[in-house]
Amino acid sequence: MKYMKLGSKPDVFQTEGNIRFVATELATDIVITVGDVKFYLHKFPLLSKSSRLQTLVASTNDEGNDEVDISDIPGGPSGFEICAKFCYGMTVTLNAYNVLAARCAAEFLEMFETIDKGNLIYKIDVFLSASIFRTWKDSIIVLQTTKSLLPWSENLKVINHCVDSIASKASIDPSEVEWSYTYNRKKLPSESGSDSHWNGVRKQPMVPRDWWVEDICDLEMGLYKKVILAIKAKGRIAAEVVGEALRAYAYRRLFSSLDNAVNNGLDCTRHCAALETIISLLPAERGSVSCGFLLKLLRAACLLGSDETLRGDLVRRIGSQLDGASVSDLLIPASSGENAMYNVDLVLAILEEFMAQRHGGGDEELQDDDDEEEVTMDGENHRHLVSSVSGDSDLALARLIDGYLAEIAKDPSLPLPKFIAIAETAPLAARPTHDALYRAIDMYLKEHPGLSKSEKKRLCALMDCKKLSAEASAHAVQNERLPLRVVVQVLFFEQLRQSSAAAAELPSSALRSLLPRESGNSYGSSRSAATTATTAEDDQWGTGAGDAGSFRSAGGGAMATNKSGGGGDGGSSKNGGKAGKGMMPRKMLSKLWSGKASSGGEHSGGSDTSESPGSAAHLDAMAAGDAKSTHSRSTRHSVS
């Protein structure tokens, strides 16, 4: 910190309660009142430096009074004391903490060069321009003191000088900054000094681009806004760094005490002002602030009851980069008085905004912000790039939605239409697997046991059983909360998957034996052998159709057996055993459908038996087709 010493005489000011006086042999001849403090001083040294005191003393002499009241002097008693000591020639030290109070007090007392050469105003102005405004921390300290000295500090242009000094220093190249860590900022691994020497020579520690961010967080909101606007006006700081500065300020001034203030019913005027200031300063560039930070600002706006315009602006901005959010960021608490845990309507509005911008913006998001760099590509490569970026964005969005669904499903008061609306916002092709969606659906079924059959049908229609993994399918088969029809779909598609896998593992000789010869005759007796094996397999699985309850447990056991690789008929061939393990028998499917009506169509969990869209008709057709195929094969075998 820079400082300046004035005067050379010893300081003989003394204090007794609210009285301050100069301990000399000469009797004092003037009393100056500043607030509740009285100064007993001498006229001559004061009047030789202050034009205003000359005027005031002259008026009091006419009234026969030796007391002058200057309670309105900026800087108060401490500011006037510095000026008085300077008049007496006593030693006084000026620094960043008291220089502005002394400067404003000297201005009030009119201590100009016209009264005495080398007067206090001149000396302080030299100190400010030559030292204070050239020093980073001193400029910040002086700027902090300006609030209590308004409007004098504004009129003297001290605020403008400090703001310009801070903005200029923050905008210089970090390699030219002589900087040490302040406040509580944690060092980055590259800055920790673990490799601070190279060949015995100490290296200069790397200065990060945001080295100034923490230092200005102590500024009052109005001053902070002036500094950020000045930094942005310089145009030499990246938007991401400005965004980081606003994030740090928000955590220091807004988020740290917001919940406590709201929960305890405290006055949130300061928090509202901070929120509005931060939002107004956000850089316009997309990605300059993280989506998580924007969502925290939106959460604060909801807690503070901010107007719809402000929240709408945040929703639009979040919608442009929602694929960068996390599930925890979306868990915005519902407003007080609502019978819900989370503000699902707000998240749905954000998702709709994201999709609207996605379809309305086209390929504009892929344009390079740097006009100097031009990338030339043909139409095919450009379409490939667009498709790749779009696919990554869809995948991230689907993961985000499924994770969010799993969290809000735990809310017992969440209506089913809202759950479905959130789930349907993800593009159809965005989910390569439906495991996460199945988990969310299962969680909702668990927390809402009173769902009707039709509601369960609507809920499970969100899920595509073909996109469940083997582990998820095994869980679904034994899940008592799922409708029976969904369980059957899972088993059916698992059978198809296992059949395809078994066919892929057949050796080339076996595949060649199944192909017709060029003359139209088959290889040996492979047709009759395959037909006989198929018929025997159908008969074997057909005996195990049983009732619906045994079917669920049997299906799960088969899948588990197939997963572990054990079991199977000892008499079957190696390949035949692989193909048969865990397969859903066709006769079991047909018997299950035919026996559905007599059993009431309900399983042990009382789930829905109505058709899931696109599943029952397909399964019935498959069952009918398999029956015809078996009959025709048997007929051809008998003819042969």
Side-chain angles (χ1 to χ4, degrees):
M1 179 182 294
K2 302 294 183 180
Y3 65 91
M4 179 175 69
K5 283 189 176 182
L6 299 175
S8 58
K9 297 179 181 179
D11 184 356
V12 292
F13 261 73
Q14 296 185 7
T15 302
E16 292 182 0
N18 289 336
I19 297 176
R20 299 181 186 180
F21 59 93
V22 179
T24 63
E25 297 179 354
L26 297 175
T28 59
D29 53 5
I30 187 174
V31 178
I32 297 179
T33 303
V34 183
D36 56 352
V37 179
K38 292 184 179 295
F39 291 84
Y40 289 83
L41 305 172
H42 303 87
K43 291 181 181 179
F44 176 74
L46 297 177
L47 301 184
S48 63
K49 303 287 186 181
S50 171
S51 175
R52 183 156 191 163
L53 286 180
Q54 290 179 9
T55 303
L56 292 175
V57 169
S59 62
T60 57
N61 288 338
D62 295 339
E63 300 173 0
N65 186 8
D66 292 334
E67 186 171 343
V68 176
D69 190 339
I70 53 172
S71 296
D72 55 343
I73 184 174
S78 59
F80 174 75
E81 184 174 340
I82 293 175
C83 295
K85 289 181 178 179
F86 174 79
C87 292
Y88 278 91
M90 298 178 187
T91 301
V92 60
T93 302
L94 296 177
N95 54 43
Y97 291 100
N98 62 12
V99 65
L100 186 56
R103 176 63 179 85
C104 293
E107 185 74 19
F108 178 88
L109 295 174
E110 300 175 1
M111 302 176 71
F112 303 125
E113 286 291 285
T114 54
I115 302 301
D116 184 58
K117 192 173 182 179
N119 213 342
L120 184 57
I121 289 178
Y122 169 77
K123 293 184 178 295
I124 292 180
D125 286 345
V126 171
F127 177 56
L128 287 172
S129 58
S131 297
I132 295 297
F133 296 148
R134 294 176 179 269
T135 308
W136 167 255
K137 293 182 181 179
D138 288 348
S139 297
I140 295 176
I141 294 171
V142 171
L143 185 59
Q144 287 176 293
T145 65
T146 59
K147 183 180 178 180
S148 60
L149 295 167
L150 292 173
W152 290 88
S153 56
E154 186 76 44
N155 296 334
L156 294 174
K157 309 298 183 183
V158 175
I159 293 179
N160 292 341
H161 286 302
C162 287
V163 168
D164 185 69
S165 172
I166 294 170
S168 298
K169 290 175 175 58
S171 301
I172 65 176
D173 192 314
S175 62
E176 301 177 7
V177 177
E178 295 181 1
W179 172 77
S180 61
Y181 283 88
T182 56
Y183 300 99
N184 297 320
R185 186 185 187 281
K186 294 182 178 180
K187 291 185 178 182
L188 300 176
S190 59
E191 306 162 359
S192 60
S194 57
D195 188 22
S196 59
H197 292 78
W198 184 77
N199 286 349
V201 179
R202 183 175 180 84
K203 295 193 301 183
Q204 181 71 19
M206 182 187 301
V207 177
R209 293 191 303 168
D210 62 345
W211 63 270
W212 51 271
V213 165
E214 293 286 343
D215 290 355
I216 65 173
C217 282
D218 285 337
L219 292 175
E220 179 267 336
M221 262 178 299
L223 299 175
Y224 183 84
K225 183 176 182 178
K226 290 178 180 290
V227 170
I228 294 297
L229 289 176
I231 289 175
K232 294 170 71 173
K234 298 287 184 183
R236 297 195 292 269
I237 293 293
E240 294 80 5
V241 180
V242 176
E244 174 61 22
L246 294 173
R247 188 197 66 82
Y249 192 76
Y251 274 90
R252 178 81 66 87
R253 293 283 181 165
L254 179 61
F255 300 146
S256 60
S257 57
L258 178 60
D259 290 335
N260 179 66
V262 173
N263 294 334
N264 295 326
L266 303 178
D267 184 15
C268 296
T269 303
R270 179 176 63 85
H271 295 88
C272 292
L275 177 64
E276 293 175 1
T277 299
I278 292 168
I279 293 176
S280 68
L281 293 173
L282 290 174
E285 292 81 356
R286 182 180 183 273
S288 56
V289 292
S290 67
C291 188
F293 175 51
L294 292 173
L295 283 164
K296 284 182 172 59
L297 291 176
L298 182 59
R299 176 182 179 273
C302 293
L303 289 176
L304 295 171
S306 300
D307 57 66
E308 292 294 334
T309 303
L310 186 144
R311 281 186 282 181
D313 292 341
L314 286 174
V315 167
R316 282 189 291 274
R317 182 151 189 157
I318 294 169
S320 68
Q321 54 189 88
L322 181 61
D323 48 349
S326 65
V327 174
S328 59
D329 296 330
L330 292 177
L331 297 178
I332 301 174
S335 302
S336 57
E338 294 186 8
N339 186 23
M341 293 173 59
Y342 303 110
N343 195 335
V344 179
D345 293 333
L346 187 60
V347 174
L348 183 59
I350 294 173
L351 289 169
E352 292 173 350
E353 179 67 26
F354 175 82
M355 299 307 297
Q357 293 188 22
R358 177 78 175 279
H359 295 298
D363 301 339
E364 293 178 0
E365 296 180 0
L366 298 177
Q367 294 178 355
D368 195 346
D369 294 334
D370 189 357
D371 295 335
E372 297 179 359
E373 181 181 357
E374 296 182 359
V375 179
T376 304
M377 59 178 66
D378 57 28
E380 182 179 355
N381 290 337
H382 179 67
R383 287 192 297 272
H384 177 72
L385 175 60
V386 172
S387 176
S388 175
V389 174
S390 176
D392 293 343
S393 178
D394 287 346
L395 181 60
L397 178 66
R399 289 174 177 172
L400 178 67
I401 291 175
D402 291 346
Y404 180 70
L405 288 172
E407 292 297 327
I408 64 174
K410 302 173 185 178
D411 183 2
S413 60
L414 177 66
L416 180 61
K418 290 186 178 181
F419 183 92
I420 294 176
I422 293 290
E424 290 178 342
T425 53
L428 295 177
R431 295 183 176 100
T433 175
H434 278 209
D435 286 11
L437 180 59
Y438 164 66
R439 175 175 175 267
I441 291 173
D442 183 45
M443 183 68 68
Y444 191 88
L445 290 171
K446 180 180 179 181
E447 295 295 334
H448 302 78
L451 291 179
S452 65
K453 296 178 182 179
S454 61
E455 288 175 330
K456 289 183 178 180
K457 173 184 175 181
R458 290 176 59 197
L459 179 63
C460 293
L462 297 169
M463 178 176 59
D464 187 350
C465 297
K466 295 190 297 292
K467 291 188 176 182
L468 292 180
S469 66
E471 292 78 9
S473 298
H475 184 277
V477 166
Q478 304 183 52
N479 190 344
E480 299 293 337
R481 291 184 287 271
L482 292 178
L484 181 60
R485 174 87 43 162
V486 176
V487 176
V488 172
Q489 289 184 67
V490 174
L491 282 169
F492 177 78
F493 291 119
E494 186 65 20
Q495 179 201 13
L496 294 181
R497 179 162 50 221
Q498 292 174 358
S499 298
S500 300
E505 293 179 0
L506 287 175
S508 59
S509 58
L511 291 175
R512 187 169 58 251
S513 67
L514 297 178
L515 297 175
R517 295 180 180 274
E518 294 181 358
S519 60
N521 298 325
S522 61
Y523 286 93
S525 60
S526 60
R527 177 186 297 179
S528 60
T531 305
T532 304
T534 303
T535 305
E537 180 186 353
D538 288 347
D539 293 340
Q540 175 187 0
W541 284 99
T543 59
D547 56 13
S550 61
F551 163 72
R552 181 188 294 272
S553 59
M559 291 180 64
T561 302
N562 179 69
K563 183 179 179 182
S564 61
D569 292 340
S572 62
S573 65
K574 180 177 181 181
N575 293 328
K578 289 183 179 179
K581 291 177 183 178
M583 292 185 183
M584 177 62 195
R586 290 181 288 272
K587 287 189 176 181
M588 182 184 293
L589 287 172
S590 60
K591 288 184 179 181
L592 184 62
W593 305 139
S594 62
K596 176 169 64 73
S598 60
S599 63
E602 293 188 10
H603 60 90
S604 58
S607 298
D608 182 25
T609 59
S610 58
E611 286 189 14
S612 296
S615 60
H618 178 66
L619 293 177
D620 291 341
M622 290 292 295
D626 289 343
K628 292 179 181 179
S629 176
T630 304
H631 175 70
S632 63
R633 285 200 303 264
S634 300
T635 303
R636 286 197 302 271
H637 177 65
S638 62
V639 171
S640 300

